[in-house]
Amino acid sequence: MPEPYEPFDDGRAIDHTGAGGPTDLAMEEAESLEKTPGGPLGTGPSGKPRSLWSDAWHDLRRNPVFIISSLIILFLVIIAIWPQLIASGDPLQCDLSKAQEGSQPGHPFGFNGQGCDVYTRTVYGARASVQVGVFATLGVTIIGSLFGGLAGFFGGGWDGVLSRITDVFFAIPVILGGLVLLSVVTSTTVWPVIGFMVLLGWPQLSRIARGSVITAKQNDYVQAARALGASNSRMLLRHITPNALAPVIVVATIALGTYISLEATLSFLGVGLKPPTVSWGIDISSASQYIRNAPHMLLWPAGALAITVLSFIMLGDAVRDALDPKLR
């Protein structure tokens, strides 16, 4: 009759019938393989190897580009939520007698063509732009990651159907699609614009998620878990998803700035956000005809838009450099 315990090469005893048996130990070893993808990532204070995420955060905290862009974005989010902190006026209160006038005490940015305070409208314009960018990015990331991840994991017919659907959406020009779909919308809220961006934006994230999942499921720890009988849900949630998120996060961060720019473009063309909503794109559109006589009307909202988009692109570049071991 065989002994219930046998010696193991690391000095531990293995119980073939209970906890600590070879199946459990092999599963633990398979899970430990995923803690340092892409090679050694440095060590933490205890001397143990850091994970990809902790190593990325270690690098981000020392990256001045990440710090500067994060501070700018934090400031934009704060004034988007509480614009009255730095602007006490009403963005919809106008005085035609002051139309196109320049800077004055209490009105540092001057007035627009309707006599509205440009400074107040620039501050309040951050709310609509940030709201559109954040919610559009969340919708695109959730839908694209879900469909792309499932297609990449299961393959076969699911993958073929998704590929054909995304090909159809990629064939639709974004600006032309906005002109067609949003031209019939009469709502003055941000939700039709957000819905349009999600509708045409999720295929790109689905392709990124699909490729990332296909790469992750070929790693040794996933193959080991599969050989040991791990269920599909366990492999997806425990092994593949945490190691396939990095490219999705990078693309989503950069796309957030792109969606803010797209909202301004659609509003400039007259099919995006509509008055009385305060938006940088609306102000840029109304100021374009006065650019020679009152350039300040265009300068401030356009400058705020450029700084916002640049900040999100810089943040995405910093996150990409931190999460991609090949760039170290």
Side-chain angles (χ1 to χ4, degrees), residues 49-66:
R50 291 195 299 263
S51 67
L52 173 65
W53 301 103
S54 61
D55 194 67
W57 175 241
H58 178 269
D59 290 345
L60 287 174
R61 289 182 299 174
R62 290 159 176 76
N63 189 340
V65 174
F66 173 78

Side-chain angles (χ1 to χ4, degrees), residues 135-324:
F135 283 102
T137 302
L138 286 176
V140 166
T141 302
I142 293 173
I143 296 176
S145 298
L146 179 62
F147 289 165
L150 292 177
F153 181 77
F154 291 105
W158 289 99
D159 193 13
V161 171
L162 179 72
S163 297
R164 301 294 77 78
I165 293 176
T166 54
D167 288 342
V168 172
F169 280 96
F170 281 134
I172 303 175
V174 177
I175 301 299
L176 179 59
L179 291 173
V180 173
L181 296 179
L182 295 177
S183 60
V184 298
V185 176
T186 58
S187 174
T188 59
T189 65
V190 299
W191 299 110
V193 178
I194 293 174
F196 164 75
M197 293 181 181
V198 173
L199 178 63
L200 292 188
W202 72 266
Q204 179 185 10
L205 259 293
S206 70
R207 287 285 180 90
I208 300 297
R210 172 184 174 274
S212 184
V213 167
I214 290 176
T215 301
K217 75 176 184 179
Q218 295 174 353
N219 290 325
D220 293 339
Y221 53 85
V222 177
Q223 299 300 324
R226 187 189 301 275
L228 293 171
S231 63
N232 289 336
S233 60
R234 178 180 176 84
M235 286 190 291
L236 271 172
L237 299 177
R238 180 64 181 86
H239 300 285
I240 294 179
T241 300
N243 295 280
L245 280 178
V248 175
I249 292 176
V250 172
V251 174
T253 305
I254 298 177
L256 202 156
T258 303
Y259 291 135
I260 293 177
S261 177
L262 178 59
E263 176 272 315
T265 302
L266 294 173
S267 299
F268 179 84
L269 296 174
V271 296
L273 302 182
K274 299 175 178 62
T277 303
V278 180
S279 165
W280 291 331
I282 294 175
D283 288 351
I284 292 172
S285 178
S286 61
S288 60
Q289 55 185 323
Y290 304 108
I291 188 171
R292 290 188 177 182
N293 299 328
H296 65 276
M297 295 170 49
L298 179 65
L299 174 64
W300 296 111
L305 174 64
I307 292 174
T308 301
V309 175
L310 179 62
S311 298
F312 280 106
I313 292 177
M314 291 169 57
L315 179 67
D317 288 341
V319 173
R320 179 200 60 193
D321 294 342
L323 290 177
D324 190 351

